[in-house]
Amino acid sequence: MKTRIISLIVIAMTTLGMNVQAQNSSADKKVLVAYFSRSGNTRAVADHIKNLTGGDMFEIQVAKPYPEEYHACTEVAKKEKEDNARPTLKNKVENMASYDVIFVGYPNWWGTMPMPILTFLESYDLSGKVVIPFCTHGGGGEQNCFKDFVKHIGKADSKKGFLISGGQASSARPQVESWLKGLKLIQ
């Protein structure tokens, strides 16, 4: 009887150990949450992703800041898009090679991603990484935000992006959590 109980305990501990190991295997992936945000909405979604995945945060910033006034900012963004510009970034991810999963967030600017996102994506070799977009918008929806994104990630693997209205970004944790579970990046 005593041997049987010990055997059951060993089996239970082994099973528990396997479960813990399986959970850790997805947590072993090093996550980066990179984002570009003008108004704070995209940063709010980035915060949700960081808190749910335990990832590191990186703010994508341009060396020459955009005008604070909304209309002036949109005109600069429109000109950059028309010129297919690659604005210089203020900083770089020093240890990009150490990340397995990279979330990249941005607002919808003129039907696609802001040009600094292209600068960011083209600054690194993303081969073999999982690169996942998330986007906020002010009513424009998805348009070409995800389609254009996938064209610029090279040999990286992409997963389904997350899209939300900027006005709902700060309270979007439940939707972000559901999306991440659907991607099997959290349990």
Coordinates of all heavy atoms in Angstrom, one line a residue, residues 35-133:
Y35 N 6.8 49.8 -30.2 CA 5.7 50.6 -30.6 C 6.0 52.0 -31.0 O 7.0 52.6 -30.5 CB 4.6 50.6 -29.5 CG 5.0 51.5 -28.3 CD1 4.6 52.8 -28.2 CD2 5.8 50.9 -27.3 CE1 5.1 53.6 -27.1 CE2 6.3 51.7 -26.3 CZ 5.9 53.0 -26.2 OH 6.3 53.8 -25.1
F36 N 5.2 52.6 -31.8 CA 5.3 54.0 -32.2 C 3.9 54.6 -31.9 O 2.9 54.1 -32.3 CB 5.6 54.2 -33.7 CG 5.6 55.6 -34.2 CD1 6.6 56.5 -34.0 CD2 4.4 56.1 -34.8 CE1 6.6 57.8 -34.4 CE2 4.4 57.4 -35.3 CZ 5.5 58.2 -35.1
S37 N 3.9 55.7 -31.1 CA 2.6 56.2 -30.6 C 2.7 57.7 -30.6 O 3.6 58.3 -30.0 CB 2.3 55.7 -29.2 OG 1.0 56.0 -28.8
R38 N 1.7 58.4 -31.2 CA 1.7 59.8 -31.2 C 0.8 60.3 -30.0 O 1.2 61.2 -29.3 CB 1.1 60.4 -32.5 CG 1.0 61.9 -32.5 CD 0.3 62.4 -33.7 NE 0.2 63.9 -33.7 CZ -0.7 64.5 -33.0 NH1 -1.6 63.9 -32.3 NH2 -0.7 65.9 -33.0
S39 N -0.3 59.7 -29.8 CA -1.3 60.2 -28.8 C -1.3 59.4 -27.5 O -2.0 59.8 -26.6 CB -2.7 60.3 -29.4 OG -3.1 59.0 -29.7
G40 N -0.6 58.3 -27.5 CA -0.7 57.4 -26.4 C -1.6 56.2 -26.5 O -1.5 55.2 -25.7
N41 N -2.4 56.1 -27.5 CA -3.3 55.0 -27.7 C -2.5 53.7 -28.0 O -2.8 52.6 -27.5 CB -4.3 55.3 -28.9 CG -5.3 56.4 -28.5 OD1 -5.6 56.6 -27.3 ND2 -5.7 57.1 -29.5
T42 N -1.6 53.8 -28.9 CA -0.8 52.6 -29.3 C 0.0 52.1 -28.1 O 0.2 51.0 -27.8 CB 0.1 52.8 -30.5 OG1 -0.8 53.3 -31.6 CG2 0.8 51.6 -31.0
R43 N 0.5 53.1 -27.3 CA 1.3 52.8 -26.1 C 0.4 52.0 -25.1 O 0.9 51.1 -24.5 CB 1.9 54.0 -25.5 CG 2.6 53.6 -24.2 CD 3.2 54.8 -23.4 NE 3.8 54.3 -22.2 CZ 5.0 53.8 -22.0 NH1 5.8 53.8 -23.0 NH2 5.4 53.4 -20.9
A44 N -0.9 52.4 -25.0 CA -1.8 51.7 -24.1 C -1.9 50.2 -24.5 O -1.8 49.3 -23.6 CB -3.1 52.3 -24.1
V45 N -2.0 49.9 -25.8 CA -2.1 48.5 -26.2 C -0.7 47.8 -26.0 O -0.7 46.7 -25.5 CB -2.5 48.4 -27.7 CG1 -2.5 47.0 -28.2 CG2 -3.9 49.0 -27.9
A46 N 0.4 48.5 -26.2 CA 1.7 48.0 -26.0 C 1.8 47.6 -24.5 O 2.4 46.5 -24.2 CB 2.8 48.9 -26.4
D47 N 1.3 48.4 -23.6 CA 1.4 48.1 -22.2 C 0.6 46.9 -21.8 O 1.1 46.0 -21.0 CB 0.8 49.3 -21.4 CG 1.7 50.5 -21.2 OD1 3.0 50.3 -21.3 OD2 1.2 51.6 -21.0
H48 N -0.6 46.7 -22.5 CA -1.4 45.5 -22.2 C -0.5 44.2 -22.7 O -0.5 43.2 -21.9 CB -2.7 45.5 -23.0 CG -3.6 46.6 -22.6 ND1 -3.9 46.9 -21.3 CD2 -4.4 47.4 -23.4 CE1 -4.8 47.9 -21.3 NE2 -5.1 48.2 -22.5
I49 N 0.1 44.3 -23.8 CA 0.8 43.2 -24.4 C 2.0 42.9 -23.4 O 2.3 41.7 -23.1 CB 1.3 43.4 -25.8 CG1 0.1 43.6 -26.7 CG2 2.2 42.3 -26.3 CD1 0.4 44.1 -28.1
K50 N 2.7 43.9 -23.0 CA 3.9 43.8 -22.1 C 3.5 43.1 -20.8 O 4.1 42.1 -20.4 CB 4.5 45.1 -21.8 CG 5.7 45.0 -20.9 CD 6.0 46.4 -20.2 CE 7.1 46.4 -19.2 NZ 6.9 45.5 -18.1
N51 N 2.4 43.6 -20.2 CA 1.9 43.0 -19.0 C 1.4 41.6 -19.1 O 1.6 40.8 -18.2 CB 0.8 43.9 -18.4 CG 1.3 45.3 -18.0 OD1 2.5 45.4 -17.6 ND2 0.5 46.3 -18.0
L52 N 0.9 41.2 -20.2 CA 0.3 39.9 -20.4 C 1.4 38.9 -20.8 O 1.3 37.7 -20.5 CB -0.8 39.9 -21.4 CG -2.1 40.5 -20.9 CD1 -3.0 40.9 -22.1 CD2 -2.8 39.6 -20.0
T53 N 2.5 39.3 -21.5 CA 3.5 38.4 -22.0 C 4.8 38.5 -21.1 O 5.6 37.6 -21.3 CB 3.9 38.8 -23.4 OG1 4.5 40.1 -23.5 CG2 2.7 38.7 -24.4
G54 N 5.0 39.6 -20.4 CA 6.2 39.7 -19.6 C 7.3 40.2 -20.5 O 8.5 40.2 -20.1
G55 N 7.0 40.7 -21.7 CA 8.0 41.2 -22.6 C 8.7 42.5 -22.3 O 8.3 43.2 -21.3
D56 N 9.7 42.8 -23.0 CA 10.4 44.1 -22.8 C 9.7 45.1 -23.7 O 9.2 44.8 -24.8 CB 11.9 44.0 -23.3 CG 12.7 43.0 -22.4 OD1 12.3 42.8 -21.2 OD2 13.6 42.4 -22.9
M57 N 9.8 46.4 -23.3 CA 9.2 47.5 -24.1 C 10.3 48.3 -24.8 O 11.4 48.5 -24.3 CB 8.4 48.4 -23.2 CG 7.2 47.9 -22.7 SD 5.8 48.1 -23.8 CE 5.3 49.8 -23.4
F58 N 10.0 48.8 -26.0 CA 10.9 49.6 -26.8 C 10.0 50.7 -27.5 O 9.1 50.3 -28.3 CB 11.7 48.9 -27.8 CG 12.6 49.7 -28.6 CD1 13.8 50.2 -28.1 CD2 12.3 50.1 -29.9 CE1 14.6 51.0 -28.8 CE2 13.1 50.9 -30.7 CZ 14.3 51.4 -30.1
E59 N 10.2 51.9 -27.3 CA 9.5 53.0 -28.0 C 10.2 53.4 -29.2 O 11.4 53.8 -29.1 CB 9.2 54.2 -27.1 CG 8.4 55.3 -27.8 CD 8.1 56.4 -26.9 OE1 8.5 56.5 -25.8 OE2 7.3 57.3 -27.4
I60 N 9.6 53.3 -30.3 CA 10.2 53.7 -31.6 C 10.0 55.2 -31.7 O 8.8 55.7 -31.7 CB 9.5 53.0 -32.8 CG1 9.7 51.5 -32.7 CG2 10.0 53.5 -34.1 CD1 8.8 50.7 -33.6
Q61 N 11.1 56.0 -31.7 CA 11.0 57.4 -31.8 C 11.8 57.9 -32.9 O 12.9 57.4 -33.3 CB 11.6 58.0 -30.5 CG 10.8 57.6 -29.2 CD 11.5 58.1 -28.0 OE1 12.7 58.0 -27.8 NE2 10.8 58.8 -27.1
V62 N 11.3 59.0 -33.6 CA 12.0 59.6 -34.7 C 13.0 60.6 -34.1 O 12.8 61.2 -33.1 CB 11.1 60.3 -35.7 CG1 10.3 59.2 -36.5 CG2 10.1 61.2 -35.0
A63 N 14.1 60.8 -34.9 CA 15.2 61.7 -34.4 C 14.6 63.2 -34.5 O 14.9 64.0 -33.6 CB 16.4 61.6 -35.3
K64 N 13.8 63.4 -35.5 CA 13.2 64.8 -35.6 C 11.7 64.6 -35.3 O 11.0 64.1 -36.1 CB 13.4 65.3 -37.1 CG 12.8 66.7 -37.3 CD 13.0 67.1 -38.7 CE 12.3 68.5 -38.9 NZ 12.2 68.8 -40.3
P65 N 11.3 65.0 -34.1 CA 9.9 64.8 -33.7 C 8.9 65.4 -34.7 O 9.2 66.4 -35.3 CB 9.8 65.5 -32.3 CG 11.2 65.6 -31.9 CD 12.1 65.7 -33.1
Y66 N 7.7 64.8 -34.7 CA 6.6 65.3 -35.5 C 6.0 66.5 -34.8 O 6.1 66.7 -33.6 CB 5.5 64.2 -35.7 CG 6.0 63.1 -36.6 CD1 6.5 62.0 -36.1 CD2 5.9 63.3 -38.0 CE1 6.9 60.9 -36.9 CE2 6.3 62.2 -38.8 CZ 6.8 61.1 -38.3 OH 7.2 60.1 -39.1
P67 N 5.4 67.4 -35.6 CA 4.7 68.6 -35.0 C 3.7 68.1 -34.0 O 3.0 67.1 -34.2 CB 4.1 69.3 -36.2 CG 4.8 68.8 -37.4 CD 5.3 67.4 -37.1
E68 N 3.5 68.8 -32.9 CA 2.5 68.5 -31.9 C 1.1 68.7 -32.4 O 0.2 68.0 -32.1 CB 2.8 69.2 -30.6 CG 4.0 68.6 -29.9 CD 4.1 69.1 -28.5 OE1 3.1 69.4 -27.8 OE2 5.3 69.2 -28.0
E69 N 0.9 69.8 -33.2 CA -0.4 70.1 -33.7 C -0.8 69.0 -34.7 O -0.1 68.6 -35.6 CB -0.3 71.5 -34.4 CG -1.7 72.2 -34.6 CD -2.3 71.7 -35.9 OE1 -1.6 71.6 -37.0 OE2 -3.5 71.5 -35.9
Y70 N -2.0 68.5 -34.5 CA -2.5 67.4 -35.3 C -2.5 67.6 -36.8 O -1.9 66.7 -37.5 CB -4.0 67.0 -34.8 CG -4.5 65.8 -35.6 CD1 -4.1 64.6 -35.3 CD2 -5.4 66.0 -36.6 CE1 -4.6 63.5 -36.0 CE2 -5.9 64.9 -37.4 CZ -5.5 63.7 -37.0 OH -6.0 62.6 -37.7
H71 N -3.0 68.6 -37.3 CA -3.1 68.8 -38.8 C -1.6 68.9 -39.3 O -1.3 68.3 -40.4 CB -3.9 70.1 -39.2 CG -3.9 70.3 -40.6 ND1 -4.7 69.5 -41.5 CD2 -3.3 71.2 -41.4 CE1 -4.5 69.9 -42.7 NE2 -3.7 71.0 -42.7
A72 N -0.8 69.6 -38.7 CA 0.6 69.8 -39.2 C 1.3 68.4 -39.1 O 2.0 68.0 -40.1 CB 1.4 70.7 -38.3
C73 N 1.0 67.6 -38.1 CA 1.6 66.2 -38.0 C 1.1 65.4 -39.2 O 1.9 64.7 -39.8 CB 1.2 65.6 -36.7 SG 1.9 63.9 -36.5
T74 N -0.2 65.5 -39.5 CA -0.7 64.6 -40.6 C -0.2 65.0 -41.9 O 0.0 64.2 -42.8 CB -2.3 64.7 -40.6 OG1 -2.7 66.0 -40.9 CG2 -2.9 64.2 -39.4
E75 N 0.1 66.3 -42.1 CA 0.7 66.8 -43.4 C 2.2 66.2 -43.5 O 2.6 65.8 -44.6 CB 0.7 68.3 -43.5 CG -0.7 68.8 -43.7 CD -1.4 68.3 -44.9 OE1 -0.8 68.2 -46.0 OE2 -2.6 67.8 -44.8
V76 N 2.9 66.2 -42.5 CA 4.3 65.7 -42.5 C 4.2 64.2 -42.8 O 4.9 63.7 -43.7 CB 5.0 65.9 -41.2 CG1 6.4 65.2 -41.2 CG2 5.3 67.4 -41.0
A77 N 3.3 63.5 -42.1 CA 3.1 62.1 -42.4 C 2.7 61.8 -43.8 O 3.2 60.8 -44.4 CB 2.1 61.5 -41.4
K78 N 1.8 62.6 -44.3 CA 1.4 62.4 -45.7 C 2.5 62.6 -46.7 O 2.7 61.8 -47.6 CB 0.3 63.4 -46.0 CG -0.3 63.3 -47.4 CD -1.4 64.3 -47.6 CE -2.0 64.2 -49.0 NZ -3.1 65.2 -49.2
K79 N 3.3 63.6 -46.5 CA 4.5 63.8 -47.3 C 5.5 62.7 -47.3 O 6.0 62.3 -48.3 CB 5.2 65.2 -46.9 CG 6.4 65.5 -47.7 CD 6.2 66.4 -48.8 CE 7.5 66.9 -49.4 NZ 8.0 66.1 -50.5
E80 N 5.7 62.2 -46.1 CA 6.7 61.0 -45.9 C 6.2 59.8 -46.7 O 6.9 59.1 -47.3 CB 6.8 60.7 -44.4 CG 7.6 61.6 -43.6 CD 7.7 61.2 -42.2 OE1 7.0 60.3 -41.7 OE2 8.6 61.8 -41.5
K81 N 4.8 59.6 -46.6 CA 4.3 58.5 -47.3 C 4.4 58.7 -48.8 O 4.8 57.7 -49.6 CB 2.8 58.3 -47.0 CG 2.2 57.1 -47.7 CD 0.7 57.0 -47.4 CE 0.1 55.9 -48.2 NZ -1.4 55.9 -48.3
E82 N 4.1 59.8 -49.3 CA 4.3 60.1 -50.8 C 5.7 60.0 -51.2 O 5.9 59.5 -52.4 CB 3.8 61.6 -51.1 CG 2.3 61.7 -50.9 CD 1.8 63.2 -50.9 OE1 2.7 64.1 -50.9 OE2 0.6 63.4 -50.9
D83 N 6.7 60.3 -50.4 CA 8.1 60.3 -50.7 C 8.7 58.9 -50.4 O 9.9 58.7 -50.7 CB 8.9 61.3 -50.0 CG 8.5 62.7 -50.4 OD1 7.9 62.9 -51.4 OD2 8.9 63.7 -49.6
N84 N 7.9 58.0 -49.9 CA 8.4 56.7 -49.4 C 9.6 56.8 -48.5 O 10.6 56.1 -48.7 CB 8.7 55.8 -50.6 CG 8.8 54.3 -50.2 OD1 8.2 53.9 -49.3 ND2 9.5 53.6 -51.0
A85 N 9.5 57.8 -47.6 CA 10.6 58.2 -46.8 C 10.9 57.2 -45.7 O 10.0 56.3 -45.4 CB 10.3 59.5 -46.1
R86 N 12.1 57.2 -45.2 CA 12.5 56.4 -44.1 C 13.1 57.3 -43.0 O 14.3 57.6 -43.0 CB 13.6 55.3 -44.4 CG 13.1 54.3 -45.5 CD 11.9 53.5 -45.0 NE 11.6 52.4 -45.9 CZ 10.7 52.5 -46.9 NH1 10.1 53.6 -47.1 NH2 10.5 51.4 -47.6
P87 N 12.2 57.9 -42.2 CA 12.7 58.8 -41.2 C 13.8 58.2 -40.2 O 13.7 57.0 -39.9 CB 11.5 59.2 -40.4 CG 10.3 58.8 -41.2 CD 10.8 57.7 -42.0
T88 N 14.8 59.0 -39.9 CA 15.8 58.5 -39.0 C 15.2 58.3 -37.6 O 14.5 59.1 -37.1 CB 17.0 59.5 -38.9 OG1 17.5 59.7 -40.3 CG2 18.1 59.1 -38.0
L89 N 15.6 57.2 -37.0 CA 15.1 56.9 -35.7 C 16.1 57.4 -34.6 O 17.3 57.4 -34.8 CB 14.9 55.4 -35.5 CG 13.9 54.8 -36.4 CD1 13.7 53.3 -36.1 CD2 12.5 55.5 -36.4
K90 N 15.6 57.7 -33.5 CA 16.3 58.3 -32.3 C 17.2 57.2 -31.7 O 18.3 57.5 -31.2 CB 15.4 58.9 -31.3 CG 16.0 59.6 -30.2 CD 14.9 60.2 -29.3 CE 15.5 61.0 -28.2 NZ 14.4 61.7 -27.4
N91 N 16.7 56.0 -31.7 CA 17.4 54.9 -31.0 C 17.2 53.6 -31.6 O 16.4 53.5 -32.5 CB 17.0 54.8 -29.5 CG 15.5 54.9 -29.3 OD1 14.7 54.7 -30.3 ND2 15.0 55.1 -28.1
K92 N 18.0 52.6 -31.2 CA 17.9 51.2 -31.8 C 17.8 50.2 -30.7 O 18.2 50.4 -29.6 CB 19.2 50.9 -32.6 CG 19.2 51.5 -34.0 CD 20.3 50.9 -34.8 CE 19.9 49.5 -35.3 NZ 20.7 49.0 -36.4
V93 N 17.2 49.0 -31.0 CA 17.2 47.9 -30.1 C 18.6 47.3 -30.2 O 19.0 46.8 -31.3 CB 16.2 46.9 -30.5 CG1 16.2 45.6 -29.6 CG2 14.8 47.5 -30.5
E94 N 19.4 47.4 -29.1 CA 20.8 46.9 -29.2 C 20.9 45.4 -29.2 O 21.8 44.9 -29.8 CB 21.5 47.4 -27.9 CG 21.7 48.9 -27.9 CD 22.4 49.5 -29.1 OE1 23.4 48.9 -29.5 OE2 22.0 50.6 -29.5
N95 N 20.0 44.7 -28.7 CA 20.1 43.2 -28.6 C 18.9 42.5 -29.3 O 18.4 41.5 -28.9 CB 20.1 42.8 -27.1 CG 18.9 43.3 -26.4 OD1 18.2 44.2 -26.8 ND2 18.6 42.8 -25.2
M96 N 18.6 43.0 -30.5 CA 17.5 42.4 -31.3 C 17.6 40.9 -31.5 O 16.6 40.2 -31.5 CB 17.3 43.2 -32.6 CG 16.1 42.7 -33.4 SD 14.6 43.0 -32.6 CE 14.2 44.6 -33.2
A97 N 18.8 40.5 -31.7 CA 19.0 39.0 -32.0 C 18.6 38.1 -30.8 O 18.2 37.0 -31.0 CB 20.5 38.8 -32.2
S98 N 18.5 38.7 -29.6 CA 18.1 37.9 -28.5 C 16.5 37.7 -28.4 O 16.1 36.8 -27.6 CB 18.6 38.5 -27.2 OG 17.8 39.7 -26.9
Y99 N 15.8 38.3 -29.2 CA 14.3 38.2 -29.1 C 13.8 37.2 -30.1 O 14.3 37.1 -31.3 CB 13.6 39.6 -29.4 CG 13.9 40.6 -28.3 CD1 14.9 41.5 -28.4 CD2 13.2 40.5 -27.1 CE1 15.2 42.4 -27.4 CE2 13.5 41.4 -26.0 CZ 14.4 42.3 -26.2 OH 14.7 43.2 -25.2
D100 N 12.8 36.4 -29.7 CA 12.1 35.4 -30.5 C 10.8 35.9 -31.1 O 10.5 35.6 -32.2 CB 11.8 34.2 -29.7 CG 13.0 33.6 -29.0 OD1 14.0 33.2 -29.7 OD2 13.1 33.6 -27.7
V101 N 10.1 36.7 -30.3 CA 8.8 37.2 -30.7 C 8.8 38.7 -30.6 O 9.2 39.3 -29.5 CB 7.6 36.7 -29.8 CG1 6.3 37.3 -30.2 CG2 7.6 35.2 -29.9
I102 N 8.5 39.4 -31.7 CA 8.5 40.9 -31.7 C 7.2 41.4 -32.1 O 6.7 41.2 -33.2 CB 9.6 41.4 -32.6 CG1 11.0 40.8 -32.2 CG2 9.6 42.9 -32.7 CD1 12.0 40.9 -33.3
F103 N 6.5 42.1 -31.2 CA 5.3 42.8 -31.5 C 5.7 44.2 -32.0 O 6.5 44.8 -31.4 CB 4.4 42.9 -30.2 CG 3.8 41.6 -29.8 CD1 4.5 40.9 -28.8 CD2 2.6 41.2 -30.2 CE1 4.0 39.7 -28.4 CE2 2.1 40.0 -29.8 CZ 2.8 39.2 -28.9
V104 N 5.0 44.7 -33.0 CA 5.3 46.0 -33.5 C 3.9 46.8 -33.6 O 3.1 46.3 -34.4 CB 6.0 46.0 -34.9 CG1 6.3 47.4 -35.4 CG2 7.3 45.2 -34.8
G105 N 3.8 47.8 -32.9 CA 2.6 48.6 -32.8 C 2.7 50.0 -33.4 O 3.7 50.6 -33.3
Y106 N 1.6 50.4 -34.0 CA 1.6 51.7 -34.6 C 0.1 52.2 -34.9 O -0.8 51.4 -34.9 CB 2.3 51.7 -36.0 CG 1.9 50.5 -36.8 CD1 0.9 50.6 -37.7 CD2 2.6 49.3 -36.7 CE1 0.5 49.5 -38.5 CE2 2.2 48.2 -37.5 CZ 1.2 48.3 -38.3 OH 0.8 47.2 -39.1
P107 N 0.0 53.5 -35.1 CA -1.4 54.0 -35.5 C -1.5 53.9 -37.0 O -0.5 53.8 -37.7 CB -1.4 55.4 -35.1 CG 0.1 55.8 -35.1 CD 0.9 54.6 -34.8
N108 N -2.7 53.8 -37.5 CA -3.0 53.9 -38.9 C -2.8 55.4 -39.4 O -3.5 56.2 -38.9 CB -4.5 53.5 -39.2 CG -4.9 53.6 -40.6 OD1 -4.3 54.4 -41.4 ND2 -5.9 52.9 -41.0
W109 N -1.8 55.6 -40.2 CA -1.6 56.9 -40.8 C -1.7 56.8 -42.3 O -1.0 56.0 -42.9 CB -0.2 57.4 -40.4 CG 0.0 58.0 -39.1 CD1 -0.9 57.9 -38.0 CD2 1.1 58.7 -38.6 NE1 -0.4 58.6 -36.9 CE2 0.9 59.1 -37.3 CE3 2.3 59.1 -39.2 CZ2 1.8 59.8 -36.5 CZ3 3.2 59.8 -38.4 CH2 2.9 60.2 -37.1
W110 N -2.7 57.5 -42.8 CA -3.0 57.5 -44.2 C -3.1 56.1 -44.8 O -2.6 55.8 -45.9 CB -1.9 58.3 -45.0 CG -1.8 59.8 -44.6 CD1 -1.0 60.4 -43.7 CD2 -2.8 60.7 -45.0 NE1 -1.3 61.7 -43.6 CE2 -2.4 62.0 -44.3 CE3 -3.9 60.8 -45.8 CZ2 -3.1 63.1 -44.5 CZ3 -4.6 61.9 -46.0 CH2 -4.2 63.1 -45.3
G111 N -3.9 55.3 -44.1 CA -4.3 54.0 -44.6 C -3.2 52.9 -44.5 O -3.4 51.8 -44.9
T112 N -2.1 53.2 -43.8 CA -1.1 52.2 -43.6 C -0.3 52.5 -42.4 O -0.7 53.3 -41.6 CB -0.1 52.1 -44.9 OG1 0.7 51.0 -44.8 CG2 0.6 53.4 -45.1
M113 N 0.9 51.9 -42.2 CA 1.7 52.2 -41.0 C 2.5 53.5 -41.3 O 2.8 53.8 -42.4 CB 2.6 51.0 -40.7 CG 3.6 50.7 -41.8 SD 4.4 49.1 -41.6 CE 4.0 48.4 -43.2
P114 N 2.9 54.2 -40.2 CA 3.7 55.3 -40.3 C 5.1 54.9 -40.9 O 5.6 53.8 -40.6 CB 3.9 55.9 -38.9 CG 2.7 55.3 -38.1 CD 2.4 54.0 -38.8
M115 N 5.7 55.8 -41.6 CA 7.0 55.5 -42.2 C 8.1 55.1 -41.2 O 9.0 54.3 -41.6 CB 7.4 56.6 -43.1 CG 6.4 56.9 -44.3 SD 5.8 55.4 -45.2 CE 7.2 55.2 -46.3
P116 N 8.1 55.6 -40.0 CA 9.1 55.2 -39.0 C 9.1 53.7 -38.8 O 10.1 53.1 -38.4 CB 8.8 56.0 -37.8 CG 8.2 57.2 -38.2 CD 7.3 56.8 -39.5
I117 N 7.9 53.1 -39.0 CA 7.8 51.6 -38.8 C 8.6 50.9 -39.9 O 9.3 49.9 -39.6 CB 6.3 51.2 -38.8 CG1 5.6 51.8 -37.6 CG2 6.2 49.6 -38.8 CD1 6.1 51.4 -36.2
L118 N 8.6 51.4 -41.1 CA 9.4 50.8 -42.1 C 10.9 51.0 -41.8 O 11.7 50.0 -42.0 CB 9.1 51.5 -43.5 CG 7.7 51.2 -44.0 CD1 7.4 51.9 -45.3 CD2 7.4 49.7 -44.2
T119 N 11.3 52.1 -41.3 CA 12.7 52.3 -40.9 C 13.0 51.3 -39.9 O 14.1 50.6 -40.0 CB 12.9 53.7 -40.3 OG1 12.5 54.7 -41.2 CG2 14.4 53.9 -39.9
F120 N 12.2 51.1 -38.9 CA 12.4 50.1 -37.8 C 12.5 48.7 -38.4 O 13.5 48.0 -38.1 CB 11.3 50.2 -36.8 CG 11.4 49.2 -35.7 CD1 12.2 49.4 -34.6 CD2 10.7 48.0 -35.7 CE1 12.3 48.5 -33.6 CE2 10.8 47.0 -34.7 CZ 11.6 47.3 -33.6
L121 N 11.6 48.3 -39.2 CA 11.6 46.9 -39.7 C 12.8 46.6 -40.6 O 13.4 45.5 -40.6 CB 10.3 46.6 -40.5 CG 9.0 46.6 -39.7 CD1 7.8 46.5 -40.6 CD2 9.0 45.5 -38.7
E122 N 13.2 47.6 -41.4 CA 14.3 47.5 -42.3 C 15.7 47.6 -41.6 O 16.7 47.4 -42.3 CB 14.2 48.5 -43.4 CG 13.0 48.1 -44.3 CD 12.6 49.2 -45.3 OE1 13.3 50.3 -45.4 OE2 11.6 49.0 -46.1
S123 N 15.7 47.9 -40.3 CA 16.9 48.1 -39.6 C 17.5 46.8 -39.0 O 18.6 46.8 -38.5 CB 16.7 49.1 -38.5 OG 16.4 50.4 -39.0
Y124 N 16.7 45.8 -39.1 CA 17.1 44.5 -38.4 C 16.9 43.3 -39.3 O 16.1 43.3 -40.2 CB 16.3 44.3 -37.2 CG 16.3 45.5 -36.2 CD1 15.3 46.4 -36.2 CD2 17.4 45.6 -35.3 CE1 15.3 47.5 -35.3 CE2 17.4 46.7 -34.5 CZ 16.4 47.6 -34.5 OH 16.5 48.7 -33.6
D125 N 17.7 42.3 -39.1 CA 17.5 41.0 -39.7 C 16.5 40.2 -38.8 O 16.8 39.8 -37.7 CB 18.8 40.2 -39.8 CG 18.6 38.8 -40.5 OD1 17.5 38.5 -40.9 OD2 19.5 38.0 -40.5
L126 N 15.3 40.1 -39.3 CA 14.2 39.5 -38.6 C 14.0 38.0 -38.9 O 13.0 37.4 -38.5 CB 12.9 40.3 -38.7 CG 13.0 41.8 -38.3 CD1 11.7 42.5 -38.7 CD2 13.3 41.9 -36.8
S127 N 14.9 37.5 -39.7 CA 14.8 36.1 -40.2 C 14.6 35.1 -39.0 O 15.4 35.3 -38.0 CB 16.0 35.7 -41.0 OG 16.2 36.5 -42.1
G128 N 13.7 34.2 -39.0 CA 13.5 33.2 -38.0 C 12.7 33.7 -36.8 O 12.4 33.0 -35.9
K129 N 12.3 35.0 -36.8 CA 11.6 35.5 -35.6 C 10.1 35.6 -36.0 O 9.7 35.5 -37.2 CB 12.1 37.0 -35.3 CG 13.6 37.0 -34.9 CD 14.0 38.3 -34.5 CE 15.5 38.4 -34.2 NZ 15.9 37.4 -33.2
V130 N 9.3 35.6 -35.0 CA 7.9 35.8 -35.1 C 7.6 37.3 -34.9 O 7.9 37.9 -33.9 CB 7.0 35.0 -34.2 CG1 5.6 35.3 -34.3 CG2 7.3 33.5 -34.3
V131 N 7.1 38.0 -35.9 CA 6.9 39.4 -35.9 C 5.4 39.7 -36.1 O 4.8 39.3 -37.1 CB 7.7 40.2 -37.0 CG1 7.5 41.7 -36.8 CG2 9.2 39.8 -36.9
I132 N 4.8 40.3 -35.1 CA 3.3 40.5 -35.0 C 2.9 41.9 -34.9 O 3.3 42.6 -33.9 CB 2.8 39.7 -33.8 CG1 3.3 38.2 -33.8 CG2 1.2 39.7 -33.8 CD1 3.1 37.5 -32.5
P133 N 2.1 42.4 -35.8 CA 1.6 43.8 -35.8 C 0.4 44.0 -34.9 O -0.4 43.1 -34.6 CB 1.2 44.1 -37.2 CG 0.7 42.8 -37.7 CD 1.6 41.7 -37.0

